[in-house]
Amino acid sequence: MTYQHITVKPLAGAIGAEIFDVDLSQPLAPTVLDEIHRAHLEYLVIVFRDQDLTPDSQKAFARNFGSAHINDFFPTVEGHPDVQLVAKNPEDTRNVGDVWHTDVSYVRKPPLGSMLYALEVPEAGGDTMFASTYAAYETLSDGMKELLEGLNAVHSATQSFGVNATGPEMKAKNKSMAFKYTQDAEQDAVHPVVRIHPESGRKSLYVNRSFTKHFEGMTVEESKPLLHYLYDHMARPEFTCRVRWSKGTLTFWDNRCAHHNALNDYQGQRRIMHRVTVLDDLRESHADAAD
Ligand code: SIN
C-alpha cells in the first residue's frame, strides 16, 4: 500500500508501524485521515511520536474513528469521564494490563480500538507488546481452524474487575489504579472464537487470558487445555511488535485483530498514560445511513 500524505515505517514483520509527518493536535485533512485509517487497518497498531495532546485534543482525534467508550472500572481524568487514567506510581507493584488481552472483550459490542497517550514514562521499561490475532489464526492447521470455527467463548470482567481484583489486597499493590467495583464486573458476553474483522473481512482468533472464561457449552476445566494452547500460540514472538514509549507517544491499536501486554518491568518508577477507547459506532452509523 502506498501513502502520499503520511510517512509509514513498519515496526516488525506481522504488526505495527510508526507514522510520521502528522500533528494530531490539529484538525486533520480528510486525505490524511484516510491514510491513517488505511495504515491502522494494514498494520493494526500505529504509533505517533512527539505529540502534544490535551484530553480534549486526544478525544477530538479519536472521534474521527468512533465515539469514546465509558469504562465502568477505571479511574478517569478529572472532567473527562471518557479518558481513562492508566497509572503506575513508584510505590505501586502492579501495573494495568500485564497479561495478554484485548480491551473490553467482556461487553456485547467490544470497542474498535484504544488510543494510549504517554505523559510520563520510566527511563527504561514499561514497553507494550502487541500481537496480531490474524497471524495467530492464519498459522493454525486446517483441522484446528475447522474445530474452532463453530465455537463461541464466554468473556467476563470478573477476573480483572470483580471483587477479588478490586479488593484491599489489590488496592495495596496499585494504589494509583483503584479499580471501581460495580455490578457490571459480573457481566458476561459471548463472542465467536474465530472473529471476522468488519472492515478487512479477515479472520482472527478472539480469545484472551484476561477476560475469556470458557467455551460456550463447556466447563472452565474442559475449556482450559485448548484455551491455554491458543493463548501460548497467540503470543508467538513472530506475531508481535514491541512499542517503546517516550513522552508524547500516542499508540492507536485495533482491538478487533490485535491483543497486547503491558510489561511491568519498571518497579519504583512512574508511568502515566491517558487512554481513550474508541467504539465501533461510526462505521456502523455510516453503514446504517447507506441502507
Ligand atoms: C492497556 O492494557 O490498555 C494498557 C496498556 C499499557 O499501559 O501499555
Side-chain angles (χ1 to χ4, degrees), residues 74 84 86-87 95-99 101-103 114-116 126-130 211 243 245 251 253 255 260-263 266 271 273 275 277:
F74 272 71
Q84 291 114 45
V86 176
N95 70 335
V96 174
D98 61 338
V99 173
H101 67 284
T102 330
D103 291 336
S114 306
M115 290 183 181
L116 193 66
D127 297 355
T128 309
M129 304 286 304
F130 293 90
F211 303 127
V243 172
W245 298 90
T251 299
W253 62 87
N255 278 309
H260 58 283
N261 185 341
L263 303 181
Y266 55 103
R271 182 178 184 272
M273 323 288 262
R275 190 178 85 178
T277 305

Side-chain angles (χ1 to χ4, degrees), residues 263-275:
L263 303 181
N264 187 13
D265 58 351
Y266 55 103
Q267 299 302 355
Q269 296 186 71
R270 181 174 283 116
R271 182 178 184 272
I272 309 287
M273 323 288 262
H274 285 175
R275 190 178 85 178

Side-chain angles (χ1 to χ4, degrees), residues 191-230:
H191 301 296
V193 171
V194 178
R195 187 171 176 199
I196 300 182
H197 193 289
E199 294 185 79
S200 70
R202 287 172 71 186
K203 290 181 176 176
S204 69
L205 272 184
Y206 197 68
V207 288
N208 70 84
R209 273 190 207 272
S210 288
F211 303 127
T212 307
K213 275 166 65 179
H214 56 87
F215 294 114
E216 190 181 41
M218 296 186 208
T219 65
V220 170
E221 283 308 309
E222 286 167 345
S223 306
K224 216 184 249 175
L226 181 50
L227 279 177
H228 282 229
Y229 167 77
L230 294 175

Side-chain angles (χ1 to χ4, degrees), residues 18-56:
E18 287 180 306
I19 311 286
F20 298 94
D21 304 326
V22 183
D23 178 357
L24 300 179
S25 69
Q26 300 301 316
L28 298 170
T31 45
V32 174
L33 269 174
D34 179 56
E35 291 200 351
I36 292 174
H37 180 212
R38 279 204 282 121
H40 190 243
L41 287 177
E42 185 176 1
Y43 292 98
L44 329 183
V45 175
I46 51 177
V47 182
F48 301 85
R49 301 292 185 187
D50 303 320
Q51 301 295 323
D52 189 5
L53 299 177
T54 61
D56 280 323

